Amino acid sequence: MTFAVHGLPVARGIAIGRAVLVVSSRLDVAHYFIKPEEVEAEIDRLRVARNAVSEELQKLQASVALMGPNEAPHELSALLEVHLMLLQDEVLTSGVKHWIVERLYNAEWALTTQLEVVARQFDEMEDEYLRERKADLEQVVERLLHRMKGTAAVLAPTPPRRKRSAEDEDSDPTAGDAIDAPLVLIAHDLSPADMLQFKKSVFAGFVTDVGGRTSHTAIVARSMDIPAVVGARTASQLVRQDDWVIIDGDAGVVIVDPSPIILAEYGFKQRQGDLERGRLARLRHKPAVTLDGQRVDLLANIELPEDTLGAVKAGAVGVGLFRSEFLFMGREAQSLTRLPDEEEQYQAYKRAVEGMQGMPVTIRTIDVGADKPLDGKSVRDDAHLNPALGLRAIRWSLADPAMFLTQVRAILRAAAHGEIHLLIPMLAHASEIRQTLALIDFARAELDNRGMVHGHVKLGAMIEVPAAALTLRIFLKHFDFLSIGTNDLIQYTLAIDRADESVAHLYDPAHPAVLRLVAETIAECRRQGKGVSVCGEMAGDIAFTRLLLGMGLRSFSMHPSQILAVKQEVLRADTSKLTRWVEQVLESDDPASLLLPAPAPQ
């Protein structure tokens, strides 16, 4: 039966494919694809774990038998027997093998996937006793996962695709096994580290129950240029493994088990989107110059050095934001030995510089905390009541000077290979500025003492806290340029947790207070002859392109997938005719009503 789930559209386009559910577990479960030649090894891992758990349960049974009735009630022995039966159950074991052999899932992923399938069968049972056995099954799976923990194979970035036969091509796309069908990811939530792992995979789109428009899950989705919907509430509970799903990233709608008519309609929309992208691709080599001759720099936001390939392909004239924290994701935050050392970071930054082929690269120092924990776990589960207001970004770095110095030394060394700008996130106090600059000077002195080659970097600060936007004079004394991080600026100005879907409707980039802070920052930088850019999601939103141009912005940094659409808006704009309209927007109580459509050149 066809039904729809509504959420927040965060990455545009249409995706049609089979659902892959990432099932939550009390353990951290790795999800990755294996190579065909690794199938037997994964099945062996599962078999070894099952035999070990079976032996463990049998030993427990034996010890229970030796105990008196007061020490171990009869029910305990019966419970262990149930666990042994579930462990050997053919539905569980054959199902897990199916996901390993047919879908090339790693053993842990296959196990949690089959758990989800069987658990739903338990939920549908009329007998209350049988329904309650689902908890026993979950406990058995947890035991297996514990046994397999630490024995995972090396990650394979993409699964090999099986070629479909001519008969398959001519058939209904939803008919049969459709091994070669596109895959769409359905999850309750995904950490930034999860997203990086899936970024190297083959998913055509994804849906999460939680998240906001500018949560980092959404940001990485846009960088992957795949349709995505977040904040879909119960999607992971309603969608079943292998269901056919349509993700409408424009409307924020997820359609499950679509009818042939709906499939045809969305297939047409998908082709129209492909045609539009083809038309935009023709603008790649065209300089971004407005109708009145204003040159505009369109830069790229990246997470990893390999992303520079997409940036160059999209026509970016540099990297305006390299989110360096993604080099740190998924490691133990408590142990510096598990973090990337100076050499590893240096090589990564050097690859990014080389990848941009002589164009400038702006590297933001590590910005962790809030929705970007180092260990991949949700910070909302830890002791911090409000991590967005806690130890994050430059506060984190200043609390751990050794880590910060390691990163700064690596960046300075990489600057010997090309133009690098060093960007500091979330500064708000003059004392923080002084501490930061002193540590950067100390890092330079350390390299000099070692006799190591390093280069000059321009220093910049992020304006993402209202306190910073209101004290620009202090910042412009010390920094060569400023970069407006609109995602956090909106969050902190409006007191909205941008990762919380329950208040997502209040997240408003067109709020008068936000627009005034942005406009005043741009104007002050221009008055003092300092560079300024916008690197938040507002920079890649074509609804704001002409407004930002009218405010005087000439440097936009966004995901590579958004560059061509923004370039088209730039090419159609006449900044000399935008001044009065911008004033009207800034004076309005309801700026959003004036943004679309923006005035066309006369």
Side-chain angles (χ1 to χ4, degrees), residues 265-276:
E265 178 186 345
Y266 275 93
F268 175 76
K269 287 184 180 180
Q270 196 175 43
R271 290 190 293 275
Q272 289 296 105
D274 291 341
L275 287 172
E276 176 61 22

Side-chain angles (χ1 to χ4, degrees), residues 563-583:
I563 287 176
L564 294 176
V566 171
K567 182 182 283 190
Q568 180 171 259
E569 291 299 308
V570 169
L571 296 172
R572 293 172 175 175
D574 185 337
T575 61
S576 66
K577 297 176 180 176
L578 291 175
T579 304
R580 180 60 194 142
W581 172 66
V582 170
E583 290 173 354

Side-chain angles (χ1 to χ4, degrees), residues 45-170:
R45 289 180 60 231
L46 177 67
R47 186 183 299 114
V48 168
R50 188 182 65 181
N51 291 342
V53 171
S54 178
E55 184 179 344
E56 184 180 286
L57 292 174
Q58 287 170 2
K59 285 181 179 178
L60 285 171
Q61 269 190 322
S63 63
V64 167
L66 296 174
M67 296 178 184
N70 294 330
E71 296 175 272
H74 170 73
E75 288 81 6
L76 179 56
S77 180
L79 178 61
L80 291 171
E81 186 63 35
V82 168
H83 281 208
L84 274 168
M85 290 172 60
L86 288 170
L87 186 64
Q88 303 297 334
D89 185 76
E90 185 60 25
V91 174
L92 180 65
T93 55
S94 63
V96 175
K97 288 179 182 176
H98 162 79
W99 299 114
I100 294 173
V101 174
E102 298 298 331
R103 294 295 188 201
L104 297 175
Y105 291 0
N106 68 298
E108 291 88 348
W109 189 1
L111 185 59
T112 53
T113 298
Q114 188 61 14
L115 167 64
E116 189 268 342
V117 171
V118 179
R120 290 193 187 221
Q121 294 173 3
F122 276 103
D123 288 337
E124 292 167 359
M125 292 177 179
E126 294 183 6
D127 187 280
E128 183 180 355
Y129 173 81
L130 291 177
R131 281 202 308 272
E132 290 177 354
R133 299 287 64 78
K134 182 176 83 168
D136 295 315
L137 177 64
E138 290 171 342
Q139 291 170 11
V140 167
V141 169
E142 290 290 337
R143 282 182 177 272
L144 286 167
L145 290 171
H146 270 293
R147 278 288 172 179
M148 288 191 289
K149 193 172 177 66
T151 61
V154 177
L155 299 193
T158 59
R161 310 307 299 272
R162 301 189 186 181
K163 188 175 180 181
R164 302 181 71 190
S165 66
E167 184 179 339
D168 288 330
E169 296 293 341
D170 294 335

Side-chain angles (χ1 to χ4, degrees), residues 346-417:
Y346 160 67
Q347 292 295 339
Y349 304 139
K350 179 171 173 270
R351 290 200 306 276
V353 169
E354 292 170 346
M356 288 310 294
Q357 304 170 14
M359 292 179 280
V361 175
T362 300
I363 301 174
R364 182 178 69 186
T365 58
I366 185 170
D367 181 2
V368 293
D371 62 342
K372 293 177 292 180
L374 279 182
D375 59 5
K377 298 175 184 176
S378 172
V379 290
R380 285 168 176 73
D381 296 334
D382 68 15
H384 302 295
L385 295 178
N386 194 332
L389 300 180
L391 193 66
R392 59 164 296 200
I394 191 59
R395 299 171 183 177
W396 182 299
S397 296
L398 294 178
D400 191 346
M403 182 189 73
F404 185 59
L405 286 168
T406 297
Q407 181 173 33
V408 173
R409 287 195 304 268
I411 293 172
L412 292 172
R413 288 172 58 193
H417 301 277

Side-chain angles (χ1 to χ4, degrees), residues 470-544:
L470 294 170
T471 55
L472 291 173
R473 179 182 56 81
I474 299 172
F475 283 76
L476 292 172
K477 268 194 218 174
H478 298 284
F479 293 99
D480 302 310
F481 68 97
L482 300 181
S483 185
I484 306 172
T486 53
N487 302 345
D488 274 330
L489 185 61
I490 296 165
Q491 169 172 252
Y492 293 126
T493 302
L494 303 182
I496 299 299
D497 183 346
R498 60 193 177 100
D500 187 346
E501 75 281 2
S502 64
V503 292
H505 62 289
L506 297 174
Y507 186 92
D508 182 12
H511 190 285
V514 173
L515 295 183
R516 286 169 195 164
L517 289 174
V518 171
E520 287 165 11
T521 300
I522 294 169
E524 185 61 27
C525 287
R526 287 174 65 87
R527 276 193 293 270
Q528 298 202 28
K530 295 290 182 81
V532 60
S533 68
V534 169
C535 64
E537 293 303 295
M538 191 186 286
D541 188 341
I542 59 174
F544 291 95

Side-chain angles (χ1 to χ4, degrees), residues 228-240:
V229 173
V230 302
R233 302 287 180 146
T234 56
S236 68
Q237 299 171 39
L238 296 173
V239 180
R240 295 173 182 263

